[in-house]
Amino acid sequence: MGRIIAIANQKGGVGKTTTAVNLAACLAEKGKKTLAVDMDPQGNMTSGLGVDKNNLEISMYDLISEECNIGECMIVDVFENLNLIPANRDLAGAEIELVTSEKKMQYILKEHLDKVKDKFDYIVIDCPPALGLLTVNAMTAADTVLVPIQCEFYALDGLSQLMYTIELIQKSLNKDLRMEGVVFTMFDSRTNLSLQVVENVKDTLNHNIYKTIIPRNVRLAEAPSHGLPINLYDSKSAGAESYRLLAEEVIENS
């Protein structure tokens, strides 16, 4: 059975989608059959993997709305070993529809992913930067939650709310959900601030913190505009090496 990892942090601009895209791509590069699931109406995971989010015939919106099955909306082999369930701004409407649904709305994504879970080694879900019903669906379906934290002054802002949400989901919707851990992103070794943030978070959190730290890297920032994950855009860049190391750590934790 595949392991489902939700990449979540309701704070925007922390490298969440960058981590989701590149972790999925590096797991696939290591020969792991991987499914990338775009649960964010911004659709940045979709475009970051080279798929035009503005011209999708079937997307996550259709899946959540029960208008298609998971096989119909899955794009196979966007890259070797990597499939994608794409999303675009249509998905924003699904959150409203979920509220009015008579079904157990928190379990819709889980029901679909359970049907294909045993076909993949890893399923990586990119959550929206908000703790709404789309994120709740992702966490209800997930085995673990991985939290990217930017190395900046307000790094811990909102983290307590995220932890509280995870605890609520553990109590009421998914008792097996656990913290995958925290990964530091946008680290700048030239600044004392980045070093202080890392130490501060380590002192504050009692959760697993990945050894791999993702650096602030120009090539990482450029890759999405080319529709490529970093390991294919610039295989020898510091960003590519870092996400490969993170993928290795994730595999070791399996």
Side-chain angles (χ1 to χ4, degrees):
M1 294 271 288
R3 178 156 141 233
I4 303 179
I5 304 171
I7 314 290
N9 191 330
Q10 80 270 29
K11 194 169 182 293
V14 298
K16 178 183 58 61
T17 298
T18 300
T19 295
V21 166
N22 292 304
L23 174 59
C26 288
L27 287 168
E29 183 184 64
K30 292 181 183 298
K32 303 298 181 183
K33 191 72 179 166
T34 306
L35 174 62
V37 178
D38 196 342
M39 211 48 184
D40 187 344
Q42 294 176 81
N44 290 336
M45 181 185 228
T46 298
S47 56
L49 290 172
V51 174
D52 184 354
K53 63 186 178 184
N54 298 315
N55 283 307
L56 297 173
E57 288 185 20
I58 302 177
S59 69
M60 176 59 81
Y61 170 76
D62 300 287
L63 189 66
I64 290 290
S65 304
E66 311 277 31
E67 298 293 324
C68 68
N69 64 46
I70 193 163
E72 289 170 329
C73 79
M74 189 184 299
I75 301 173
V76 176
D77 287 338
V78 284
F79 301 108
E80 188 177 0
N81 292 322
L82 183 59
N83 292 6
L84 169 69
I85 297 176
N88 58 22
R89 59 191 176 196
D90 292 346
L91 186 56
E95 190 130 26
I96 299 163
E97 290 168 28
L98 281 169
V99 174
T100 58
S101 169
E102 293 178 9
K103 285 192 67 177
K104 282 213 161 183
M105 54 202 177
Q106 303 96 329
Y107 292 97
I108 291 175
L109 182 64
K110 175 179 171 55
E111 287 171 2
H112 287 294
L113 290 183
D114 280 350
K115 292 171 186 170
V116 298
K117 190 174 180 181
D118 60 352
K119 296 178 182 175
F120 295 94
D121 298 304
Y122 293 94
I123 297 174
V124 178
I125 308 174
D126 185 28
C127 298
L131 298 177
L133 272 171
L134 295 175
T135 298
V136 168
N137 257 270
M139 289 188 184
T140 302
D143 299 306
T144 61
V145 181
L146 190 153
V147 184
I149 293 184
Q150 184 181 358
C151 293
E152 51 111 76
F153 186 70
Y154 295 109
L156 289 169
D157 273 19
L159 195 61
S160 59
Q161 184 60 45
L162 178 64
M163 297 303 178
Y164 178 64
T165 302
I166 292 170
E167 285 174 21
L168 285 179
I169 288 169
Q170 286 169 330
K171 287 174 185 173
S172 59
L173 298 168
N174 183 0
K175 63 180 175 55
D176 297 321
L177 183 67
R178 63 179 179 83
M179 268 289 286
E180 173 82 24
V182 167
V183 60
F184 292 107
T185 62
M186 304 180 195
F187 181 83
D188 188 343
S189 59
R190 298 168 300 177
T191 67
N192 286 330
L193 178 60
S194 280
L195 297 166
Q196 287 167 1
V197 167
V198 169
E199 290 310 311
N200 188 16
V201 173
K202 284 181 177 177
D203 290 343
T204 305
L205 286 182
N206 295 319
H207 297 287
N208 175 40
I209 295 176
Y210 278 99
K211 296 192 202 94
T212 303
I213 295 178
I214 309 301
R216 191 175 287 280
N217 181 251
V218 173
R219 305 301 270 171
L220 264 179
E222 292 171 350
S225 64
H226 295 268
L228 290 169
I230 189 62
N231 60 315
L232 295 178
Y233 177 63
D234 188 344
S235 183
K236 294 183 177 172
S237 65
E241 291 302 321
S242 296
Y243 276 110
R244 286 193 183 104
L245 289 171
L246 180 63
E248 284 174 17
E249 279 197 79
V250 167
I251 293 167
E252 285 169 13
N253 285 355
S254 296

